[in-house]
Amino acid sequence: AEYLRTFPIKSVGLKLTGRRCSKMRVTRGREVGCRGRLRDTTLDWEDMLPEPDFSRANHHSEMSTLSITLGTSLQIKPACEMPIYGRSNNKDAKLVIVNLQKTPYDSEACLVINARVDNVMKGLLQELELKIDSPNKPPPPLKKTEKRTVVESM
């Protein structure tokens, strides 16, 4: 089972969160609560991306014609190399980097913006005449086909 949450969690690195699964299941003809222990899905520096997420990320990176990196030093391998994978299928694939500091891939980028990501995104949304939701406003309910970031799993 996967859970979505709208509040911050204190752990990272696939640790137990202290919460339990509230999903119901049928056992021996009767419905019972799962009660399995939940883990965060926030990766720590030394954690590998789990499958199938890692393979999907590689695939989409290779198919991209534009990669935009926001607020990353692009230093942790192999994830830091993914933004340039698109060039393996398309020599014209572009890379845009938004980060306060220089990165090892700045020379590969067609555009580098050394600024705070929040400021860049606010300016972009204003330029596109899109409204910014209040950070304190809860997210709208999910549609059946829509997914949000999963932060806990069994």
Side-chain angles (χ1 to χ4, degrees):
E2 296 178 339
Y3 284 78
L4 304 175
R5 63 172 171 77
T6 58
F7 53 88
I9 199 158
K10 295 178 183 174
S11 66
V12 296
L14 308 172
K15 294 181 180 75
L16 294 172
T17 66
R19 296 178 63 203
R20 292 200 174 261
C21 174
S22 60
K23 303 283 184 190
M24 300 302 283
R25 60 187 167 101
V26 176
T27 302
R28 296 185 191 147
R30 58 176 225 180
E31 197 172 63
V32 295
C34 171
R35 305 285 301 143
R37 299 188 315 172
L38 300 178
R39 294 183 178 274
D40 70 69
T41 57
T42 306
L43 298 177
D44 208 348
W45 290 99
E46 63 273 357
D47 294 328
M48 287 298 294
L49 287 172
E51 289 296 342
D53 301 323
F54 183 70
S55 294
R56 271 193 214 129
N58 273 323
H59 170 74
H60 289 291
S61 295
E62 289 169 358
M63 304 315 302
S64 70
T65 57
L66 172 65
S67 293
I68 302 173
T69 66
L70 300 171
T72 172
S73 63
L74 294 171
Q75 306 236 1
I76 306 296
K77 290 186 179 190
C80 69
E81 297 167 337
M82 288 182 181
I84 60 169
Y85 285 173
R87 292 192 186 150
S88 63
N89 292 320
N90 180 352
K91 65 179 174 62
D92 295 325
K94 306 281 190 243
L95 170 63
V96 173
I97 298 172
V98 179
N99 196 50
L100 278 175
Q101 299 87 16
K102 291 181 179 184
T103 78
Y105 293 91
D106 285 3
S107 63
E108 308 257 353
C110 66
L111 176 63
V112 175
I113 302 172
N114 294 117
R116 293 186 181 278
V117 172
D118 286 354
N119 296 341
V120 173
M121 295 308 294
K122 283 177 188 174
L124 176 62
L125 290 173
Q126 287 173 350
E127 187 66 29
L128 295 172
E129 297 180 358
L130 297 172
K131 290 192 179 207
I132 302 170
D133 285 337
S134 166
N136 298 324
K137 180 180 169 186
L142 290 175
K143 296 177 185 169
K144 275 194 170 187
T145 58
E146 187 180 11
K147 279 193 168 188
R148 282 212 184 92
T149 304
V150 174
V151 295
E152 291 180 279
S153 67
M154 288 197 17

